Amino acid sequence: MQLLALLLATSAFTASATSNIDNGPFQSDLNGSNFTYGQPLKLLRFHSQGLPLEMAFIDLPPIADTVTTSEPQHVRYTRKKPGHKPKTALLLHGKNFCSVTWSATGYALQQAGYRVIIPDQIGFCKSSKPGANYQYSLHQLALNTHSLLSALNLTGPGGSDVTVVGHSLGGMLATRFSLLYPELVSRLVLVNPIGLEPYLEVGVPYPDLSATLRTEQASNYQSIREYEQSTYYLGAWAREYDVWAVMLAQIYSGSEAQKFSEGQARVVDMVLTQPVYYEFPRVQPNTLLIIGTKDTTAIGKQWSPPSVQERLGKYENLGKETAKKIANCTLVEFEGLGHAPQIQAPHRFHETLLEWLRT
Ligand SMILES: *[C@@H]1O[C@H](CO)[C@@H](O)[C@H](O)[C@H]1NC(C)=O
Ligand SMILES: *[C@@H]1O[C@H](CO)[C@@H](O)[C@H](O)[C@H]1NC(C)=O
Ligand SMILES: *[C@@H]1O[C@H](CO)[C@@H](O)[C@H](O)[C@H]1NC(C)=O
Ligand SMILES: CC(=O)N[C@H]1CO[C@H](CO)[C@@H](O)[C@@H]1O
């Protein structure tokens, strides 16, 4: 009886470690997203808020640490050096992106000896879309991500040395994840994160959920492209930007369209009402802050009065201000790049990232 109580208590905080990873294969249209991922996809099946959910993720083995046998599907891990924890990179996507957007970075980190885990968050991309039935919070998304690492046996004493890399909303989530699980995160990399300013306090009018829901429901390829072209990419457009806009537009019109929009509206509410802004001084890991200084992203800018708009999204200042607040932060500013340096200038981005990780 006591053992059962203990088991229940333990499993209340993490996903259980047995047989909840589904290695697929899966159909290409998964939970409302039909984008073809180049990498094999896995699913974590778990319960959260009383709901059975699936969290899709990409899992890349470290290339430097593996030996491929004559049968290419069998990958053998080399023996760990004693006292040397394997390195894991956890890559967190932004609101308008998916795990697969991190593919090139995942490949670069794989070559550098990292096992790379790239989840689609609940409500996004190829993961479950619980819609209005779910309480979205940065803490909940961080807990779900921790449950994934736990199910992969990457947490705990014998676990892994985890580097968390987050872009845009994923940067805000990476910050929250580091605050919640400081013992797990050895390094933190933030790439044009949102949440570097307290949007409501700066003057963004708080919107009713029905207003954000209408905006989400009206999203399509044209609106996504116009927004990203002007806000992310300095007015330019290229094939490398288009692929992610097409991927996202398909989810807004896909088989889970309504539930996707319900979730995304709540995600906007989450970003506005759950700032990490005040907690940067508590961030413990060594941090690399990569900022494309021409980025102008700010949540709620579109519906703010002009006097507020002109104060928001000034990444040429936000990087410097944030770097001063984090105890151990290296700031790298990319002059002339916008919201997604890893997409705009992948070579430069990966060079910077890998060089910092080597030191
Ligand atoms: C995904 O769906 C869209 C629209 O329904 C379609 O045009 C596109 O070809 C599909 N893509 C894939 C990879 O199946
Ligand atoms: C995690 O460890 C447990 C206990 O050793 C094992 O049963 C399980 O298969 C492992 N899970 C994964 C995904 O490696
Ligand atoms: C900052 O990082 C350096 C290098 O890892 C380390 O030596 C130093 O103790 C850290 N400082 C703080 C305040 O954490
Ligand atoms: C709610 C829902 O339809 N979830 C599905 C997500 O995709 C997985 C894998 O195909 C299914 O098992 C779930 O039922």
Side-chain angles (χ1 to χ4, degrees), residues 32 91 153 179 200 344:
L91 311 187
N153 294 335
L179 290 163
L200 297 178
Q344 270 192 297

Side-chain angles (χ1 to χ4, degrees), residues 151-174:
L152 294 170
N153 294 335
L154 295 173
T155 58
S160 185
D161 192 16
V162 178
T163 294
V164 184
V165 184
H167 168 238
S168 191
L169 169 64
M172 201 174 179
L173 177 58

Side-chain angles (χ1 to χ4, degrees), residues 56-77:
F57 65 100
I58 294 167
D59 182 357
L60 306 173
I63 287 185
D65 281 353
T66 61
V67 179
T68 311
T69 63
S70 51
E71 294 146 291
Q73 69 271 33
H74 293 122
V75 175
R76 184 158 59 85
Y77 289 81

